[in-house]
């Protein structure tokens, strides 16, 4: 018995503070939020709250504003994931072919990741200024200087839901494409050279080499990138807040709506929105973790 304690005891003591902190600040607060979402605490007034079950969730999914925020989030997620994967893969392909000064290009592509979302949002908020004509600012002003006035547009202030949320996704794509580039580039560099040589010996063209040999090897990385980008898009708050502010119905997503709800001291409703977002993240992450565990068990 004492021998077993000496074996796992030191490791358990090292992990104990982390487990306690995670238990309180992560899982404990998730439990507190879920408990609050089941109550009728809709004001800042202190006192006992009554339990109303899932009434707050039912009301949310019958509310036009919340449904609009979910639709905005869906469009934002698609635009963000597709744009980031395309640019990340494109840059990885260019660097994988070998270019002069590859280290410099890698640094340039990865640099946006070092910038906080709020700082990026402030800069892109100016770049995406919707003013046009003589009052044009940001990118619209650049287009005017280059005599490309036909490219001027109101960005996120007008147009369809797709064009509006695609404009909001643009800064996030710029910021995360370098990270996806690094993932794909590491995947390319991890493929054994023998596979390439064997495909070329068999007469495979460059297109077929990538299509049938290299890209299939990158499927686990592509899946990981998809999960990472998906959960980032679901939690986007500071970028949207910095660009459009908290009161733009056209660009409102659940995280922004939750913030506005908290400002009105509607704790139960805000907690319900938070739990819905948590469920969306779990739908993405849990199947991926399960698949990863099965793959590791097979190996």
């Amino acid at each position: 018995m004492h021998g077993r304690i000496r074996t796992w005891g030191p490791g358990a003591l090292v992990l104990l503070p982390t487990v306690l902190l995670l238990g309180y600040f992560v899982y404990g607060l998730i439990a507190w939020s879920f408990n609050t979402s089941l109550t009728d605490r809709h004001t800042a007034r202190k006192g006992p709250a009554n339990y109303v079950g899932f009434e707050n969730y039912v009301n949310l999914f019958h509310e036009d504003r919340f449904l609009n925020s979910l639709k905005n989030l869906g469009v934002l997620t698609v635009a963000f994931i597709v744009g980031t994967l395309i640019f990340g893969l494109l840059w990885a392909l260019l660097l994988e072919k070998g270019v002069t000064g590859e280290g410099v290009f890698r640094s340039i592509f990865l640099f946006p990741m070092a910038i906080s979302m709020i700082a990026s949002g402030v800069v892109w908020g100016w770049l995406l200024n919707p003013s046009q004509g003589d009052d044009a600012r940001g990118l619209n002003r650049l287009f005017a200087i280059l005599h490309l006035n036909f490219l001027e547009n109101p960005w996120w202030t007008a147009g369809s839901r797709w064009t509006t949320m695609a404009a909001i996704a643009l800064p996030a794509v710029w910021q995360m494409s370098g990270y996806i580039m690094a993932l794909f580039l590491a995947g390319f560099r991890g493929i054994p050279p023998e596979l390439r040589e064997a495909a070329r010996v068999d007469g495979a063209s460059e297109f077929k080499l990538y299509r049938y040999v290299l890209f299939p090897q990158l499927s686990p990385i592509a899946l990981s990138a998809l999960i990472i980008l998906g959960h980032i898009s679901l939690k986007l708050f500071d970028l949207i807040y910095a660009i459009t502010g908290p009161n733009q119905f056209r660009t409102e997503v659940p995280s922004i709506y939750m913030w506005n709800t908290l400002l009105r001291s509607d704790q139960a409703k805000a907690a319900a929105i938070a739990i819905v977002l948590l469920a969306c993240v779990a739908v993405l992450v849990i199947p991926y973790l399960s698949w990863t565990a099965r793959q590791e068990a097979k190996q």
Side-chain angles (χ1 to χ4, degrees), residues 87-89 91-92 95 106 109-110 113 176-189 221:
F87 282 104
L89 181 58
W91 293 344
L95 294 181
R106 280 206 310 264
F109 294 151
L110 283 170
M113 254 198 86
M176 294 302 300
S177 292
Y179 174 66
I180 301 303
M181 176 271 299
L183 289 180
F184 281 124
L185 187 59
F188 279 126
R189 297 288 165 79
I221 294 176

Side-chain angles (χ1 to χ4, degrees), residues 30-54:
I30 288 174
W32 178 85
S33 297
F34 181 68
N35 180 71
T36 303
S37 73
L38 301 177
T39 68
D40 62 352
R41 192 178 294 280
H42 299 294
T43 66
R45 187 178 63 235
K46 300 297 182 182
N50 299 315
Y51 283 94
V52 295
F54 291 93

Side-chain angles (χ1 to χ4, degrees), residues 282-299:
V283 167
L284 283 175
V285 174
I286 291 178
Y288 170 71
L289 294 178
S290 176
W291 177 81
T292 302
R294 288 197 301 269
Q295 293 299 114
E296 291 178 354
K298 290 179 180 179
Q299 294 176 359

